[in-house]
């Protein structure tokens, strides 16, 4: 049977595409920059990187930007499936501007019940930066999450070896020190906090003064100095990456990250990306060498853990209006 031409396929109505794109835009993005643009021509839905939303100091090559767009692309496919639509995705179609990341054709599937639970999952997933409980996610559950990356050709490795975790902690600390003295990066990061517009990270989602390291003490504070931890006892880490360090592999890493994050949310786990160590190129290379043994190129780290039961829910990060991101 020959492949039908685009003109022969019954295209999704604009209202369906609008619904799918608004669900896709619930995806996580670096600093909540929402660096995507969508265009629907009545048959093909195109996803492009919005380079005006790039972070030149922290993300000069656009790795985090592309991962964010990959997450939105996966959210779109996930939402379509939940609502009874099929998607055919062509990644990196030819484009003179080199901003086009994917073309998607949305077609109706046979009779299919709407998966409300999956739509709820898109709405409940969030970045919860409060400290995880001390109870670590068991290794087999981490490995189940890692397996979800394979269909995208993405490598996901859980750091279960104490030595690897220790090395990563040292490197992550070094990255933080590096970033603390880089004014351009600090200023850029600050510009994305507590904005008046529906983007960026609201202050009420950032932890207040870092929680004290030591348990509550009967004594008043003394002068003994201690370094702040980047990883606490119960935190587990998954490294995501690929064989290359280019736009195509970042896009797929974003899709895999979204798949992992949604399933972790379904299982009651909490996921928080940790991109600073990757943003410092020398440290990214050192992670590839000394933690991953050069098995693959690291693109992003994910902290995975459990939030204490009964904690209050968090307000959602804002999203830009659909009219700003979708052109029909
Ligand atoms: C590529 C990427 C890198 C991120 N890096 C960090 C990070 O280093 N630290 C952090 O706390 N959150 C990080 N985030 C989470 C975003 O800040 C978060 O997704 C965004 O503010 C939207 O909030 P939401 O996930 O609750 O919808 C990252 C997200 C992405 C997609």
């Amino acid at each position: 049977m020959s492949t039908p031409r685009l003109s022969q396929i019954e295209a999704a109505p604009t209202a369906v595409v609008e619904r799918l794109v608004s669900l896709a835009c619930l995806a996580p993005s670096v600093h909540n920059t929402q660096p995507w643009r969508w265009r629907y021509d009545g048959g093909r839905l195109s996803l492009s990187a919005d380079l005006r939303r790039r972070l030149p100091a922290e993300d000069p090559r656009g790795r985090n930007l592309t991962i964010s767009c990959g997450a939105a692309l996966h959210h779109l496919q996930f939402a379509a499936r939940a609502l009874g639509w099929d998607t055919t995705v062509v990644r990196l179609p030819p484009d003179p501007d080199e901003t086009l990341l994917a073309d998607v054709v949305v077609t109706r599937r046979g009779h299919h019940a709407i998966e409300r639970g999956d739509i709820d999952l898109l709405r409940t997933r969030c970045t919860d930066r409060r400290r995880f409980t001390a109870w670590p996610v068991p290794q087999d559950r981490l490995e189940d999450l890692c397996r979800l990356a394979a269909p995208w050709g993405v490598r996901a490795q859980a750091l279960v070896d104490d030595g690897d975790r220790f090395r990563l902690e040292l490197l992550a600390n070094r990255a933080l020190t590096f970033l603390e003295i880089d004014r351009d990066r600090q200023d850029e990061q600050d510009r994305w906090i507590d904005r008046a517009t529906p983007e960026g990270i609201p202050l009420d989602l950032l932890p207040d003064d870092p929680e004290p390291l030591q348990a509550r003490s009967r004594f008043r504070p003394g002068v003994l100095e201690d370094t702040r931890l980047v990883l606490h006892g119960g935190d587990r880490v998954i490294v995501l990456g690929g064989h290359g360090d280019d736009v195509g592999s970042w896009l797929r890493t974003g899709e895999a990250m979204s798949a992992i994050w949604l399933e972790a949310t379904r299982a009651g786990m909490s996921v928080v990306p940790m991109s600073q160590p990757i943003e410092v190129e020398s440290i990214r290379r050192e992670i590839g060498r000394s933690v991953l043994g050069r098995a693959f190129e690291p693109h992003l780290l994910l902290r995975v853990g459990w939030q204490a039961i009964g904690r209050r829910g968090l307000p959602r990060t804002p999203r830009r209006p659909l009219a700003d991101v979708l052109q029909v």
Side-chain angles (χ1 to χ4, degrees), residues 168-221:
L168 181 78
E169 241 180 295
L170 282 178
L171 291 166
N173 253 312
R174 218 188 290 160
L176 278 182
T177 310
F178 184 96
L179 297 178
E180 270 163 18
I181 55 171
D182 187 325
R183 258 301 7 122
D184 289 346
R185 294 189 200 221
Q186 285 292 328
D187 289 349
E188 187 174 83
Q189 184 168 300
D190 286 349
R191 282 198 293 276
W192 286 94
I193 293 177
D194 218 20
R195 288 168 85 109
T197 40
E199 58 198 348
I201 308 179
L203 262 188
D204 51 8
L205 291 177
L206 294 174
D208 57 4
D209 242 18
E211 294 169 73
L213 266 191
Q214 57 285 71
R216 280 179 72 191
S217 160
R218 61 192 299 177
F219 303 111
R220 67 187 170 79

Side-chain angles (χ1 to χ4, degrees), residues 200-267:
I201 308 179
L203 262 188
D204 51 8
L205 291 177
L206 294 174
D208 57 4
D209 242 18
E211 294 169 73
L213 266 191
Q214 57 285 71
R216 280 179 72 191
S217 160
R218 61 192 299 177
F219 303 111
R220 67 187 170 79
V223 291
L224 177 65
E225 273 190 23
D226 207 343
T227 30
R228 250 185 254 155
L229 296 180
V230 286
L231 292 174
H232 291 99
D235 299 11
R236 289 292 169 258
V237 177
I238 292 178
V239 187
L240 291 179
H243 292 296
D245 190 40
D246 48 38
V247 172
S249 49
W250 301 332
L251 188 68
R252 287 176 175 278
T253 290
E255 293 182 80
M257 174 194 71
S258 166
I260 289 175
W261 202 333
L262 290 171
E263 287 316 311
T265 304
R266 199 195 297 278

Side-chain angles (χ1 to χ4, degrees), residues 28-30 32 64 125-127 129 201 273 275-276 317 319:
S29 61
V30 61
N32 197 22
N64 284 335
R125 182 220 55 82
C126 67
T127 308
R129 299 177 183 82
I201 308 179
S275 49
Q276 306 94 313
T317 43
R319 291 295 184 274

Side-chain angles (χ1 to χ4, degrees), residues 23 47 57 61 67 110 120 148 175 199 215 242-243 256 283 289 300 320:
L23 289 166
L47 166 65
R61 294 186 60 209
I67 293 174
D120 289 347
L148 296 170
E199 58 198 348
H243 292 296
I283 292 189
R289 196 186 64 76
L300 186 67
R320 298 159 67 204

